[in-house]
Amino acid sequence: QVQLVQSGAEVKKPGASVKVSCKASGYTFTNYYMHWVRQAPGQGLEWMGIINPSGSSTSYAQKFQGRVTMTTDTSTRTVYMELSSLRSEDTAVYYCAKSRGEFSLYRAFDYWGQGTLVTVSS
Amino acid sequence: EIVLTQSPGTLSLSPGERATLSCRASQSVSSSYLAWYQQKPGQAPRLLIYGVSSRATGIPDRFSGSGSGTDFTLTISRLEPEDFAVYYCQQYGTSPRTFGQGTKVEIK
């Protein structure tokens, strides 16, 4: 069965960086794009970007351009999302989410990780 | 960027009743790339509907989606106790992918 297992909660100071991992299993890792979505406390869902796990091509939401980097390690079937220059407004649960269709950029998100809480506080 | 506006913000209903949730897009959604997700407290979202009206794997047939262009609807024919949650629509046909602000379905 498909599983996405994320790394544990993080507490960071303003200005620092955080790197969240998402380890995939149960499907052909390189055939499906992976997205990152975040959710601030009590708020809605916000798309951050997408990565092609096979070729590492990425596309980021304009809001996060210059601050976010998504990478992949095919040997461990893991994708990473690093967010830099953290501020209090970045406090949120960060999710990885698998694209539903093979080799396709434009599909719904059919499996989600359990979420990683990142708290930014001085 | 396509802005999705969901209504109502909160829907207060009893088990067994019908729920109708609306999602309106600021411009036409490309190729019917519209999805609905359910989220319960402390959990990740779960895909219910994709391509406007196709149910995801394992989703009961009391959930149905409809619409086209800029107006979309999620209908839950008879609410079960486990259906009380927050529901989000999403368009995934253009970047950035965007979500509505959510509709909370609560027990009356």
Side-chain angles (χ1 to χ4, degrees), chain B residues 18-73:
Chain B
R18 182 183 188 90
T20 303
L21 287 67
S22 173
C23 176
R24 177 161 291 177
S26 60
Q27 54 189 280
S28 186
V29 174
S30 172
S31 303
S32 300
Y33 288 158
L34 192 286
W36 291 91
Y37 299 85
Q38 177 193 68
Q39 188 178 34
K40 297 179 181 178
Q43 296 185 16
R46 176 173 74 143
L47 177 64
L48 299 176
I49 300 286
Y50 63 91
V52 176
S53 60
S54 297
R55 275 187 299 276
T57 304
I59 301 303
D61 60 7
R62 63 180 181 273
F63 290 92
S64 63
S66 63
S68 65
T70 60
D71 288 296
F72 303 92
T73 301

Side-chain angles (χ1 to χ4, degrees), chain A residues 39 47 100 105-106 109 113, chain B residues 37 39 50 88 90 92 97:
Chain A
Q39 186 171 37
W47 182 78
R100 197 184 67 82
L105 272 173
Y106 299 104
F109 307 166
Chain B
Y37 299 85
Q39 188 178 34
Y50 63 91
Y88 294 94
Q90 179 211 26
Y92 52 91
R97 282 66 161 171

